[in-house]
Amino acid sequence: MKVESQGHVDTADTMRVVNWCTRSDISPLRYPGGKRKLAPLIADLISKTNIRPALFVEPFAGGASVSISLLEADYVDTIALSDADPLLSSFWEIVFSSQAEALANMVYDAKVSLDEWKRLKQTEVATGLEAAYKCLFLNRTSFSGSLNRKAGPIGGMSQAGAYKIGCRFNQSKLAERILELSRLRHRVRFVRNESYTKTVRDVRKTAVYRDSPNRVFWYLDPPFFAKADKLYRCHFERKDHQTLARAIENIPGSWLLSYDDHPEARRLYGRHPGYALVNLQYSARIDEKNRLVAKEIVVSDIISELRAAGKLQDGAQVIQIPRRRQNAPANIEVVERNIAIG
Ligand SMILES: C[S@@+](CC[C@H](N)C(=O)[O-])C[C@H]1O[C@@H](n2cnc3c(N)ncnc32)[C@H](O)[C@@H]1O
């Protein structure tokens, strides 16, 4: 990636991304570890390169909220999504296909009950449409949005608590959102069920990469280090994280990787020149003095280039985002560069 000019934060463009990513319904999926709050940071880094991505690839798609935020804000020309979990990839495939209306109708007409939850939990799906419906239904009715085999229903098997199985399944809103997203399908290059290694090989062969490699951008958000086996149906073993750390340098295009702040992630990436520990500061207060702060590790070739060019100061705010709503990201800053590696 070549940083072509100093660039500047184009507040209007970045605000478009902020406006999208502060929508809690940006993705129909409630995804554990959903990263929509990183979208403004990614938009800001991209704007500093002055290169608009022709293709934005998210190979660990999950809830895909970053790709969707940037696409809806018209920050990128097209997106491509893939995920190793066939339920998730089927969901996105159907949303961005001519079958979106059929899915929206199924969601609108769904009988949201414990019986339906149990039926879907046991069902082997025969078609992509059934898989997409199963994905959304179980995601919105299971504890923490987890599709994991062991995840139970919201409200438990007794449905005795205040929150019942249907409390996060607003049928008309979800159906509408599916239809809204499906209108963007001409800007979705592909949705695939495959491992990220295959997606890397596939993108390398595309005309867009061959013609303008610097206009391909990757957002990589691999499974967490902690508890990933409980959250996702496809997770990483330790060696998989190490393999990704080696593969990242050969990604075809520009890239940003994010991880939950975990000692293993610091160990793997803490010395990378594109490493930054980012504070996602929320407007919600914990008490009188403290605001809720979530730390996220990001690594990006753009950060490396900006640092090398003296255009990114550690400790300085990368982007300031006006507080639009309660719980919207208030500001995002790079807080640390080199950290002690234990
Ligand atoms: C942390 S989640 C991604 C969350 C997403 N960024 C969001 O905002 O919702 C990681 C995803 O990686 C997928 N995954 C696990 N192993 C994979 C692999 N080898 N290749 C591609 N996807 C994989 C999981 O199914 C999961 O959906």
Side-chain angles (χ1 to χ4, degrees), residues 8 13 92 171 178 215 223 258 321:
H8 59 282
D13 277 359
W92 291 118
Q171 289 168 260
I178 287 167
R215 294 197 61 208
S258 63
I321 298 166

Side-chain angles (χ1 to χ4, degrees), residues 53-286:
L55 175 62
F56 187 91
V57 193
E58 196 170 348
F60 299 98
S65 48
V66 170
S67 299
I68 294 172
S69 300
L70 296 178
L71 188 66
E72 285 193 307
D74 194 28
Y75 216 83
V76 299
D77 292 349
T78 62
I79 61 168
L81 305 174
S82 52
D83 199 288
D85 183 337
L87 275 189
L88 284 161
S89 54
S90 298
F91 176 75
W92 291 118
E93 228 170 298
I94 297 294
V95 166
F96 294 119
S97 79
S98 56
Q99 291 187 80
E101 201 176 321
L103 176 62
N105 286 336
M106 286 170 89
V107 170
Y108 195 79
D109 294 337
K111 292 211 176 348
V112 188
S113 64
L114 193 58
D115 282 348
E116 178 68 343
W117 184 88
K118 285 182 190 160
R119 182 187 77 78
L120 285 168
K121 203 78 179 165
Q122 288 156 10
T123 300
E124 289 291 330
V125 287
T127 65
L129 183 59
E130 283 169 18
Y133 172 69
K134 174 173 175 170
C135 176
L136 182 66
F137 188 96
L138 290 181
N139 168 263
R140 306 274 337 174
T141 57
S142 299
F143 191 67
S144 287
S146 173
L147 296 172
N148 195 293
R149 198 170 44 86
K150 291 186 187 151
I154 296 176
M157 287 299 189
S158 63
Q159 292 291 293
Y163 293 100
K164 308 277 192 252
I165 193 148
C167 68
R168 296 197 185 274
F169 202 94
N170 184 329
Q171 289 168 260
S172 52
K173 272 198 166 172
L174 286 169
E176 269 169 37
R177 184 67 181 137
I178 287 167
L179 294 177
E180 206 170 57
L181 288 173
S182 78
R183 287 181 211 118
L184 294 168
R185 64 173 170 264
H186 61 290
R187 293 175 64 194
V188 179
R189 269 178 203 262
F190 63 75
V191 179
R192 291 200 183 130
N193 174 227
E194 60 190 20
S195 175
Y196 75 96
T197 49
K198 173 83 167 50
T199 310
V200 167
R201 290 201 296 276
D202 290 350
V203 167
R204 222 181 264 288
K205 291 182 211 144
T206 58
V208 58
Y209 174 67
R210 280 199 307 267
D211 295 346
S212 2
N214 62 348
R215 294 197 61 208
V216 175
F217 190 95
W218 293 75
Y219 171 48
L220 302 117
D221 185 35
F224 290 172
F225 275 98
K227 297 190 191 143
D229 54 332
K230 297 200 172 54
L231 288 173
Y232 311 113
R233 294 178 350 130
C234 303
H235 60 276
F236 266 21
E237 301 300 336
R238 199 162 182 229
K239 66 170 179 20
D240 300 316
H241 290 287
Q242 291 162 347
T243 306
L244 174 60
R246 287 192 296 275
I248 198 85
E249 298 304 335
N250 296 317
I251 288 288
S254 217
W255 53 272
L256 183 137
L257 170 85
S258 63
Y259 263 110
D260 50 324
D261 180 19
H262 188 279
E264 282 296 322
R266 288 179 177 229
R267 205 182 299 277
L268 273 178
Y269 293 100
R271 291 191 196 283
H272 193 285
Y275 168 92
L277 184 66
V278 168
N279 254 351
L280 292 177
Q281 228 173 70
Y282 300 92
S283 51
R285 278 186 185 280
I286 304 167

